[in-house]
Amino acid sequence: MSKIEGIPILSSEGSVLAIPMFILHHLQNSAQQHRIVSISIHRLKVSDMDRRRFIQTATIAGSSIAILDHTTLLSEDNQREQKPLSLARNPIVISTWDFKLPVNETAYGILNKGGRLLDAIQASINLVEADPTVTSVGHGGYPDRDGRLTLDACIMDEHGNAGSVACIENIMHPISVARCVMEKTPHVLLVGDGALQFALEQGFKKENLLTDQARAAYQEWLKSDEYKPPVDEKNHDTIGLLAMDTEGNLAGGCSTSGMAWKVHGRVGDSPLIGDGLYVDNEIGAATSTGLGEACIKVAGSFLVVESMRHGKSPAEACQIAVERVVQKQPQYKDIDDFLVGFVAMNKQGEVGALSYRKGLQYSLCKEGVNKVFDADYLIK
Ligand code: GLY
């Protein structure tokens, strides 16, 4: 048998096959450009010992191997059996809540055409930010106790890059500014006036985002609540979105106007990497919703990803984070409507979601179909 420098893979029938390095390079380049690739491979005859060693190597080789799970493998000497080898897998998009907008479908459509994760995530979240009827994100969001609408957002890519903005005003799409922070500065987080100044320099338009409805709700709140910021969950949802592309890479983003009637300057979990969002492309990704203060105190999304790193399923990992919140801060149990919750996806494309109490929904788009689910919850 001639020696071939290559990466071993295991066919669906259990035989070990090897992709020669030169084909692998071509394949990786092609996969980036076209997503779908047809190749031929050399079939090797190997002993059981070789087979075990090959499998070990393949496991170490990691994600480039994992994407071969839908493949039909070809033999050069049996041309009649040849079918295209598809390196592509279906994208998966999961997001918090049901915003009654084509949020996941937008990201899915971009990814399914081979588009970039960040483009997909940004386009989806932009939809929610621009909708004046969503009172917890972007345009139409409820203001703080001074009547000022301040926005938080962050984004994290498959390479571990991150960008965020906090307490930014008058900019419709904070997730897009967060992406600019990531791509155009050496920083991760810009806040307040600095974030606004940067956004304007980047060509974003200054706009009044406070709707008549939000202003009226604020006037109503002022009448009865004596300028006291709330600690419950009313009027308070975040769009957090996680996506897997056709190559099995993970990224995510989130955006919110934060807690309605908050103290001016308050920043929640959403723009904080590790709290509102965390992505480790080798392990999984998580995002949070609910009372930001509760999530921040346990580094919630980071905890979910770390739990997945230690072998927990996405659902189990979300439960660990929610349990940690009330274990460390039991006073939250006494707050009516207290809610904190997480949505997660692992590297295998499995998803999970769990909140403290009933009420969290999540939307999942798989194989081209988007469905809304009620998340599991801790307090039955
Ligand atoms: N989870 C969003 C916030 O607390 O601001």
Side-chain angles (χ1 to χ4, degrees):
M1 186 176 70
S2 60
K3 187 170 180 299
I4 299 168
E5 282 264 333
I7 294 285
I9 56 173
L10 191 63
S11 79
S12 50
E13 309 88 46
S15 54
V16 174
L17 308 128
I19 302 180
M21 285 314 288
F22 74 92
I23 291 183
L24 187 72
H25 288 313
H26 165 73
L27 193 150
Q28 284 171 331
N29 291 338
S30 302
Q32 279 158 12
Q33 290 160 17
H34 307 301
R35 311 287 170 216
I36 307 289
V37 182
S38 291
I39 62 160
S40 291
I41 61 164
H42 295 265
R43 196 178 285 274
L44 298 182
K45 290 189 178 67
V46 289
S47 68
D48 276 345
M49 182 60 85
D50 286 333
R51 189 167 178 272
R52 274 197 295 278
R53 205 175 59 236
F54 271 48
I55 292 166
Q56 278 166 7
T57 316
T59 305
I60 292 162
S63 60
S64 60
I65 300 302
I67 60 173
L68 295 171
D69 57 1
H70 298 305
T71 58
T72 303
L73 301 171
L74 305 178
S75 162
E76 269 188 343
D77 48 17
N78 189 351
Q79 297 296 317
R80 277 181 307 167
E81 280 179 17
Q82 282 202 2
K83 290 188 191 140
L85 170 62
S86 165
L87 288 181
R89 53 176 299 154
N90 284 314
I92 304 173
V93 181
I94 186 167
S95 58
T96 53
W97 306 105
D98 172 16
F99 286 94
K100 313 278 186 222
L101 293 164
V103 176
N104 288 358
E105 294 90 329
T106 297
Y108 188 94
I110 291 170
L111 293 172
N112 206 35
K113 290 193 191 114
R116 286 193 60 198
L117 274 166
L118 292 189
D119 294 338
I121 290 162
Q122 184 179 336
S124 287
I125 293 180
N126 281 171
L127 275 180
V128 187
E129 291 173 332
D131 189 327
T133 67
V134 176
T135 58
S136 55
V137 180
H139 185 203
Y142 282 175
D144 63 23
R145 67 180 185 176
D146 293 344
R148 295 169 71 167
L149 174 56
T150 65
L151 306 174
D152 301 334
C154 76
I155 197 160
M156 193 163 184
D157 75 6
E158 65 272 37
H159 308 293
N161 299 312
S164 59
V165 288
C167 210
I168 190 170
E169 292 177 75
N170 302 113
I171 298 291
M172 174 91 75
H173 294 302
I175 191 80
S176 304
V177 186
R179 182 174 177 182
C180 283
V181 172
M182 183 183 103
E183 292 180 339
K184 299 189 177 167
T185 80
H187 310 306
V188 170
L189 171 60
L190 297 181
V191 304
D193 286 349
L196 175 61
Q197 181 186 330
F198 172 74
L200 297 176
E201 284 165 12
Q202 295 299 316
F204 289 86
K205 210 166 58 178
K206 201 168 172 179
E207 295 173 85
N208 175 20
L209 303 174
L210 196 64
T211 59
D212 291 345
Q213 196 267 328
R215 190 176 296 103
Y218 168 65
Q219 298 296 349
E220 203 52 41
W221 175 80
L222 273 184
K223 281 184 199 161
S224 55
D225 284 78
E226 300 165 350
Y227 200 61
K228 287 196 193 112
V231 286
D232 66 18
E233 272 314 295
K234 294 188 188 88
N235 306 320
H236 188 211
D237 306 334
T238 306
I239 169 70
L241 184 144
L242 311 173
M244 178 178 275
D245 69 11
T246 54
E247 295 176 8
N249 291 311
L250 290 161
C254 61
S255 184
T256 187
S257 52
M259 180 188 284
W261 335 132
K262 60 197 173 188
V263 173
H264 179 64
R266 179 264 188 189
V267 169
D269 55 332
S270 300
L272 304 180
I273 299 300
D275 297 325
L277 175 73
Y278 195 69
V279 178
D280 182 330
N281 195 29
E282 290 177 19
I283 304 298
T287 187
S288 69
T289 186
L291 187 66
E293 283 77 0
C295 177
I296 291 169
K297 288 171 188 169
V298 300
S301 291
F302 184 72
L303 177 57
V304 174
V305 172
E306 288 308 291
S307 299
M308 291 194 283
R309 190 189 305 282
H310 292 108
K312 300 298 180 192
S313 70
E316 289 167 341
C318 291
Q319 180 163 346
I320 287 170
V322 172
E323 283 172 349
R324 182 75 60 85
V325 168
V326 286
Q327 179 196 348
K328 295 282 179 193
Q329 300 274 293
Q331 75 276 12
Y332 285 132
K333 293 182 189 169
D334 301 330
I335 299 173
D336 287 346
D337 298 330
F338 165 69
L339 187 138
V340 69
F342 297 90
V343 168
M345 173 158 43
N346 67 13
K347 190 66 180 169
Q348 289 69 46
E350 297 162 335
V351 300
L354 188 130
S355 58
Y356 176 67
R357 67 173 84 247
K358 191 173 177 185
L360 174 62
Q361 289 188 308
Y362 67 94
S363 305
L364 175 64
C365 193
K366 268 181 104 162
E367 290 162 8
V369 180
N370 190 62
K371 287 190 189 152
V372 177
F373 297 88
D374 291 326
D376 199 2
Y377 48 98
L378 200 62
I379 301 303
K380 305 279 182 188

